[in-house]
Amino acid sequence: MIEECFEGPEKKLELVVDESHGSLRKKGDGYWSAVVKAANAEILSTLRSDSCDAYLLSESSLFVFDDHLTMITCGRTTLVDAAAMLLSEISRDQVRLLVYERKNELFPRSQPSSFYDDARRLNDLLPGRALRFGEQDDHHIHLFHSSATYQAQSGDTTLEILMHGIPEEVASIFVGRSGSRDSIAEECGLTDLLPGFALDEFAFSPEGYSMNALRGGTYYTVHVTPEQVGSYVSFETNLDAGPRLSEFVAGVAQVFRPRALDVLSFSPTAQENAPVSVPGYMDRADVQTDFLGYDVRFSSFSRPPTGKTGPVELSLSGVVDTKA
Amino acid sequence: MIEECFEGPEKKLELVVDESHGSLRKKGDGYWSAVVKAANAEILSTLRSDSCDAYLLSESSLFVFDDHLTMITCGRTTLVDAAAMLLSEISRDQVRLLVYERKNELFPRSQPSSFYDDARRLNDLLPGRALRFGEQDDHHIHLFHSSATYQAQSGDTTLEILMHGIPEEVASIFVGRSGSRDSIAEECGLTDLLPGFALDEFAFSPEGYSMNALRGGTYYTVHVTPEQVGSYVSFETNLDAGPRLSEFVAGVAQVFRPRALDVLSFSPTAQENAPVSVPGYMDRADVQTDFLGYDVRFSSFSRPPTGKTGPVELSLSGVVDTKA
């Protein structure tokens, strides 16, 4: 079986450990390199602050704090193997929370496992439950979370903005930039939106872009798959946009101008996620639930069609061609 | 790997043969039974008119005319194997047109092959090209068509209405009806919309419904997968709705009240497909092209979200549960 494009849509792992476990950061770069390798990725570079080690990966990112971590991987990586490695070395009592997500993929047949495979494996290691936000035939996120008692802490927010189909003018910023010394984050407008962060940027050859940004314990991370078919950008941050969530999402959408985007936000239930609307986009889904002290909300948006388009002509030699 | 639901979205084959081949109908029921078996389905019953033999299958339908056929199969059937069997017995010169389609699937990992696998195999037997109508991350239809010279004949129209997510009130009509002597087509309102057809209806156990309808050389066919997660209805006809296409699509949508629907229509280029809009639904895509004398148009629609919903809770023992 041959699939055609790079899989931008990512898998994500969040893990919170108990104080009794000791600092995750103290495990050191060698350990995290082995965890990343378990997922079939590698560490490209590291950015550190007082409270966080941010690893830029060959396929996305890993943020390690003393008591928690966030790992995001794309392509055909096996993030569940990294999760299993972590769980083999941390006693079940010391895991306060595990969340594992998979965004709906463009080429699911090329993935080494399905979400169900992964969730069943995690469930055997650490009992939990599995949810789907969004319809099976539409944009959706599958999520597994551990069932153990946990209560989200004040200020523990996460925002994911997952963008499909960026226009050629935007995509071109991320093509052929390997070795460039310019800040692509500055060029595309991200640093205006989020000033004051230390940046770790990487432009892939022949195309693609990853970046981690740190300001103390606050991070954001961006991964761009600019391929003409299946273009995709993910943005994630633990910055709390609070009641200005919509405005913030619109700001990120203005940078990348995607055809469609999904927003997944986590907030402690006490502060709840503000509803999101994005000017110029139609609302396609709004799904909300609570678990373990988090208010979790998924929204999906797309631009209205702008008149008739042509079909995409596909190459039968395994490479996707241009518009017919 | 375990996947969770029945795959309603179908594969479809259309084949037109040259006069020199002789009548396809004359090949007889035994031959068509073998073709259907190649796709891993079986013939349940047969309805005949002067110009068409309509076979109701364990997974969808086959319509055989003297010079052409339409075969539609769902689930994990291998329609491409049936196509290969047909092509092994009809000389390439006698094939005037082959069109092979696959609707985007709910559970693509459970399929025995991908569209690309199928299209490459067909392309080796009969050179053609492959197109995608709709975005890869959204509802779409993959289509392969042969490249040989062909010109669609006057009156040769096809309309496919592919519906996702039917409400429980509608779904319940198609559950537990195995052995029922009532006309479900009459009960759900299809016969009001399309009067004067001879009907061949089949209610599956424990749920599901298929029907073929014939009026001379005009057919329509309906297949209902009423499962709570992944519910799906397909409707296809060669009846020409002409300029009243939107009205006709809206009528079918009113019977099944889906959350989202895709419409694929073929008309000879001289008469072109009217644009489709469906009251109460947002336009999500409008894709049009011409090939071999056909005007081909794909449109996609969904209802606006009606406020917040909860996520779907998934069973990790392999069965999908109810809403969380």
Side-chain angles (χ1 to χ4, degrees), chain A residues 172-243:
Chain A
S172 64
I173 301 174
F174 307 98
V175 175
R177 299 298 292 272
S178 178
S180 165
R181 285 165 170 272
D182 303 329
S183 169
I184 295 177
E186 200 175 308
E187 186 177 334
C188 70
L190 279 169
T191 52
D192 290 338
L193 198 69
L194 290 147
F197 283 76
L199 302 183
D200 186 6
E201 303 185 84
F202 192 92
F204 293 85
S205 176
E207 58 193 347
Y209 172 75
S210 282
M211 72 99 79
N212 286 340
L214 269 184
R215 192 176 68 194
T218 305
Y219 70 84
Y220 74 91
T221 183
V222 175
H223 301 282
V224 182
T225 301
E227 273 80 350
Q228 193 178 2
V229 173
S231 68
Y232 183 79
V233 180
S234 75
F235 174 96
E236 169 162 331
T237 187
N238 63 350
L239 185 76
D240 183 7

Side-chain angles (χ1 to χ4, degrees), chain A residues 4 106 108-109 111 120 129-130 132 136-139 259 283-284 286 288 309 312-314 316, chain B residues 4 106 108-109 111 120 129-130 132 136-139 259 284 286 288 305 309 312-314 316:
Chain A
E4 284 55 33
L106 295 167
R109 289 177 61 88
Q111 290 296 315
R120 286 187 194 108
R129 62 200 272 262
R132 191 190 67 231
Q136 182 70 26
D137 62 291
D138 209 328
H139 286 199
R259 175 178 36 74
D283 286 15
R284 278 177 36 172
D286 185 9
Q288 186 274 336
T309 60
V312 172
E313 180 138 15
L314 307 167
L316 293 177
Chain B
E4 282 55 31
L106 296 167
R109 289 177 60 87
Q111 290 296 315
R120 286 188 194 106
R129 61 200 274 260
R132 192 189 66 233
Q136 182 69 27
D137 62 292
D138 210 328
H139 286 198
R259 175 178 36 75
R284 281 178 36 173
D286 186 9
Q288 186 273 335
T309 60
V312 173
E313 181 139 17
L314 307 167
L316 293 176

Side-chain angles (χ1 to χ4, degrees), chain A residues 1-4 102 104-117 119-120 123 128-139 142-144 164-165 229-230 259-260 272 282-289 297 302-305 307-320 323-324, chain B residues 1-4 102 104-117 119-120 123 128-139 142-144 164-165 229-230 259-260 272 282-289 297 302-305 307-320 323-324:
Chain A
M1 186 196 56
I2 305 169
E3 290 288 5
E4 284 55 33
R102 278 176 74 160
N104 65 294
E105 285 125 4
L106 295 167
F107 307 103
R109 289 177 61 88
S110 291
Q111 290 296 315
S113 63
S114 72
F115 169 78
Y116 288 94
D117 298 332
R120 286 187 194 108
N123 191 54
R129 62 200 272 262
L131 303 172
R132 191 190 67 231
F133 294 79
E135 301 289 349
Q136 182 70 26
D137 62 291
D138 209 328
H139 286 199
H142 277 118
L143 183 151
F144 171 87
H164 286 275
V229 173
R259 175 178 36 74
E272 274 197 9
M282 311 186 290
D283 286 15
R284 278 177 36 172
D286 185 9
V287 183
Q288 186 274 336
T289 194
R297 194 156 180 173
S302 66
R303 286 191 193 280
K308 277 193 298 188
T309 60
V312 172
E313 180 138 15
L314 307 167
S315 164
L316 293 177
S317 58
V319 181
V320 176
K323 293 263 176 186
Chain B
M1 184 196 58
I2 305 169
E3 289 289 3
E4 282 55 31
R102 277 176 73 161
N104 65 293
E105 284 125 6
L106 296 167
F107 307 104
R109 289 177 60 87
S110 290
Q111 290 296 315
S113 64
S114 72
F115 169 78
Y116 288 94
D117 298 332
R120 286 188 194 106
N123 191 53
R129 61 200 274 260
L131 302 172
R132 192 189 66 233
F133 294 79
E135 301 289 348
Q136 182 69 27
D137 62 292
D138 210 328
H139 286 198
H142 278 118
L143 183 151
F144 171 87
H164 287 274
V229 174
R259 175 178 36 75
E272 273 196 10
M282 312 187 290
D283 286 16
R284 281 178 36 173
D286 186 9
V287 183
Q288 186 273 335
T289 195
R297 193 156 182 174
S302 66
R303 285 190 192 280
K308 278 194 295 188
T309 60
V312 173
E313 181 139 17
L314 307 167
S315 165
L316 293 176
S317 59
V319 181
V320 176
K323 292 263 176 186

Side-chain angles (χ1 to χ4, degrees), chain B:
Chain B
M1 184 196 58
I2 305 169
E3 289 289 3
E4 282 55 31
C5 289
F6 187 77
E7 186 70 52
E10 287 131 333
K11 305 166 190 76
K12 179 181 161 184
L13 172 70
E14 291 203 37
L15 187 72
V16 181
V17 297
D18 194 74
E19 280 179 5
S20 65
H21 176 269
S23 169
L24 290 169
R25 296 176 81 197
K26 287 198 179 144
K27 285 173 173 280
D29 293 350
Y31 178 79
W32 295 113
S33 179
V35 169
V36 166
K37 197 177 172 192
N40 270 325
E42 55 180 308
I43 294 174
L44 299 177
S45 61
T46 310
L47 184 66
R48 298 179 207 276
S49 73
D50 283 350
S51 53
C52 179
D53 295 325
Y55 299 94
L56 200 66
L57 309 184
S58 54
E59 272 100 352
S60 305
S61 289
L62 166 63
F63 296 90
V64 183
F65 298 81
D66 282 327
D67 69 346
H68 68 281
L69 67 85
T70 295
M71 185 170 174
I72 302 170
T73 68
C74 60
R76 300 186 193 185
T77 49
T78 55
L79 181 57
V80 70
D81 289 338
M85 179 178 163
L86 285 162
L87 290 176
S88 73
E89 294 173 20
I90 302 174
S91 83
R92 188 185 284 191
D93 296 347
Q94 290 177 324
V95 176
R96 300 194 66 199
L97 173 71
L98 182 146
V99 176
Y100 179 81
E101 297 169 22
R102 277 176 73 161
K103 161 83 174 132
N104 65 293
E105 284 125 6
L106 296 167
F107 307 104
R109 289 177 60 87
S110 290
Q111 290 296 315
S113 64
S114 72
F115 169 78
Y116 288 94
D117 298 332
D118 295 353
R120 286 188 194 106
R121 189 166 159 202
L122 293 171
N123 191 53
D124 287 344
L125 297 170
L126 194 70
R129 61 200 274 260
L131 302 172
R132 192 189 66 233
F133 294 79
E135 301 289 348
Q136 182 69 27
D137 62 292
D138 210 328
H139 286 198
H140 61 263
I141 291 174
H142 278 118
L143 183 151
F144 171 87
H145 72 80
S146 55
S147 302
T149 315
Y150 180 75
Q151 277 296 310
Q153 302 297 298
S154 166
D156 178 8
T157 65
T158 308
L159 170 64
E160 304 174 23
I161 308 175
L162 310 169
M163 295 166 270
H164 287 274
I166 56 175
E168 210 170 309
E169 314 88 85
V170 175
S172 65
I173 301 175
F174 307 98
V175 175
R177 299 298 293 273
S178 177
S180 165
R181 285 169 169 268
D182 303 330
S183 168
I184 296 177
E186 199 174 309
E187 186 177 334
C188 71
L190 278 168
T191 51
D192 290 338
L193 198 67
L194 290 146
F197 283 76
L199 303 184
D200 185 6
E201 304 186 82
F202 193 91
F204 293 86
S205 175
E207 59 194 348
Y209 172 75
S210 283
M211 71 100 79
N212 287 339
L214 270 185
R215 192 176 67 195
T218 305
Y219 70 85
Y220 75 93
T221 182
V222 175
H223 300 283
V224 182
T225 301
E227 273 80 349
Q228 193 177 6
V229 174
S231 68
Y232 183 79
V233 180
S234 74
F235 174 95
E236 171 164 331
T237 188
N238 64 349
L239 184 75
D240 183 8
R244 297 176 62 194
L245 184 59
S246 276
E247 198 180 319
F248 186 81
V249 170
V252 173
Q254 271 165 23
V255 169
F256 296 104
R257 294 154 49 199
R259 175 178 36 75
L261 69 154
D262 302 333
V263 177
L264 186 68
S265 49
F266 293 75
S267 280
T269 46
Q271 63 184 88
E272 273 196 10
N273 294 290
V276 177
S277 65
V278 189
Y281 289 79
M282 312 187 290
D283 286 16
R284 281 178 36 173
D286 186 9
V287 183
Q288 186 273 335
T289 195
D290 302 304
F291 57 76
L292 306 179
Y294 288 105
D295 179 71
V296 182
R297 193 156 182 174
F298 169 85
S299 316
S300 189
F301 307 91
S302 66
R303 285 190 192 280
T306 53
K308 278 194 295 188
T309 60
V312 173
E313 181 139 17
L314 307 167
S315 165
L316 293 176
S317 59
V319 181
V320 176
D321 278 338
T322 52
K323 292 263 176 186

Side-chain angles (χ1 to χ4, degrees), chain A residues 71-86:
Chain A
M71 186 169 172
I72 302 169
T73 68
C74 60
R76 300 185 193 186
T77 49
T78 55
L79 181 58
V80 72
D81 289 337
M85 179 179 163
L86 285 161

